Amino acid sequence: MNETSPKSENVASVLKVFSVLETLSQNNASGLAAIAKNAMTAKSTTHRLLQTMVDLGYVKQDVETENYGLTMKLFSIASRALKQEGDIVQLADSGMAKLSRATGETVNLGLMDDERQRVVYVHGYPSRYNLSLRTSIGMRNTLYSTSLGKAILAFLDPAEIEELLAHMSFERSAPNTIQTEEALRKDLALTHKRGFSEEIEESEAGVRCIAVPLRNHLGKSVGAISLAFPLFRFDKDRRQEYIDLLLSVGLDISKALGFEPEI
């Protein structure tokens, strides 16, 4: 006789809760039917979960429309969770501002997410040009297809790199996306040797990026900063200037994080 274990039921309930929350984060101010459909959960179950979330203060319901939406309570929790990364953001900010002033292009700070398979954008300076790249705080992208991700990967401990590669699957998202583990290993070796990573239309068509790691007192990467350019506006004659700027700023931030470069 097959019986569903209490543990399995608990996991299923948690998955339903987060499915509803994620649906609300993408489609705020939605009705019960739409939320249930998008969350792929029965209406009765969705209604019960929503009412509990309303009681707890995470969700609000409009009296007139009866639509549901998220409150700021989740943001408050997320802000406290991000506080542990606040030092990196604070230490990186002035250097990123310097890069922004010197180049006018988009500057991003990325950290590896908790699942250790993606880079999450946590801080940035937009380009001063009208036609520019738009990145949103909280946006996630694959490690292997971004200069930020490759800069982080290349300066982890070898054992950590092997663990991440063992769980990595490659999907093409742009004309030059890395497709094999062998190609990524070569790229990471080059990145480690020269101190910066580069990608040309690997994450997004028409985009070119350069990134450097931010390293802690152990020499391990804890994040990375990048310059992102529309391909048509990348000045090849200034490439070394961009690289030198990034290396200088990255080193200053790393020193502030406790990194001591070899003399």
Side-chain angles (χ1 to χ4, degrees), residues 6 26 30 39 80 128 169 236 243 250:
Q26 296 165 6
S30 298
R80 291 197 294 271
R128 65 169 174 253
S169 57
K236 293 181 180 180
I243 292 169

Side-chain angles (χ1 to χ4, degrees), residues 85-244:
E85 311 295 353
D87 289 344
I88 297 178
V89 174
Q90 186 175 12
L91 291 172
D93 182 68
S94 61
M96 293 173 67
K98 177 180 177 181
L99 288 170
S100 177
R101 291 192 300 270
T103 66
E105 298 293 353
T106 301
V107 184
N108 289 312
L109 166 62
L111 308 176
M112 191 159 57
D113 71 4
D114 292 336
E115 296 176 0
R116 296 175 61 78
Q117 282 296 328
R118 291 183 178 271
V119 60
V120 56
Y121 296 74
V122 298
H123 187 44
Y125 279 83
S127 170
R128 65 169 174 253
Y129 298 102
N130 290 330
L131 187 55
S132 60
L133 307 174
R134 304 294 179 186
T135 51
S136 303
I137 302 304
M139 185 180 81
R140 285 169 165 75
N141 215 333
T142 52
L143 293 170
Y144 60 84
S145 68
T146 59
S147 61
L148 285 170
K150 293 189 293 184
I152 294 171
L153 277 172
F155 289 87
L156 294 174
D157 286 337
E160 289 183 89
I161 296 174
E162 292 303 317
E163 179 186 353
L164 288 166
L165 289 177
H167 296 89
M168 195 171 288
S169 57
F170 299 88
E171 297 180 6
R172 185 182 299 278
S173 59
N176 300 323
T177 304
I178 288 177
Q179 292 288 282
T180 66
E181 182 178 316
E182 180 183 3
L184 179 58
R185 286 182 182 278
K186 290 180 179 179
D187 197 306
L188 295 180
L190 178 61
T191 294
H192 194 276
K193 180 179 180 180
R194 63 188 184 181
F196 68 92
S197 63
E198 194 167 15
E199 61 105 343
I200 304 173
E201 295 191 295
E202 293 179 31
S203 176
E204 185 178 347
V207 176
R208 179 169 184 164
C209 300
I210 308 171
V212 295
L214 304 181
R215 304 168 70 181
N216 64 11
H217 64 289
L218 297 174
K220 291 174 51 178
S221 58
V222 293
I225 54 173
S226 71
L227 280 171
F229 308 80
L231 200 56
F232 72 88
R233 203 165 57 229
F234 184 84
D235 187 346
K236 293 181 180 180
D237 293 335
R238 295 185 64 190
R239 177 177 176 272
Q240 192 58 50
E241 177 189 344
Y242 299 143
I243 292 169
D244 291 342

Side-chain angles (χ1 to χ4, degrees), residues 66-94:
E66 296 187 349
N67 286 342
Y68 295 90
L70 294 176
T71 69
M72 294 297 289
K73 191 170 183 179
L74 276 174
F75 176 78
S76 176
I77 292 175
S79 296
R80 291 197 294 271
L82 284 172
K83 192 176 185 303
Q84 59 187 320
E85 311 295 353
D87 289 344
I88 297 178
V89 174
Q90 186 175 12
L91 291 172
D93 182 68
S94 61

Side-chain angles (χ1 to χ4, degrees), residues 24-43:
L24 283 172
S25 72
Q26 296 165 6
N27 306 286
N28 206 359
S30 298
L32 174 61
I35 296 170
K37 180 180 179 181
N38 290 333
M40 294 183 289
T41 308
K43 284 179 66 175

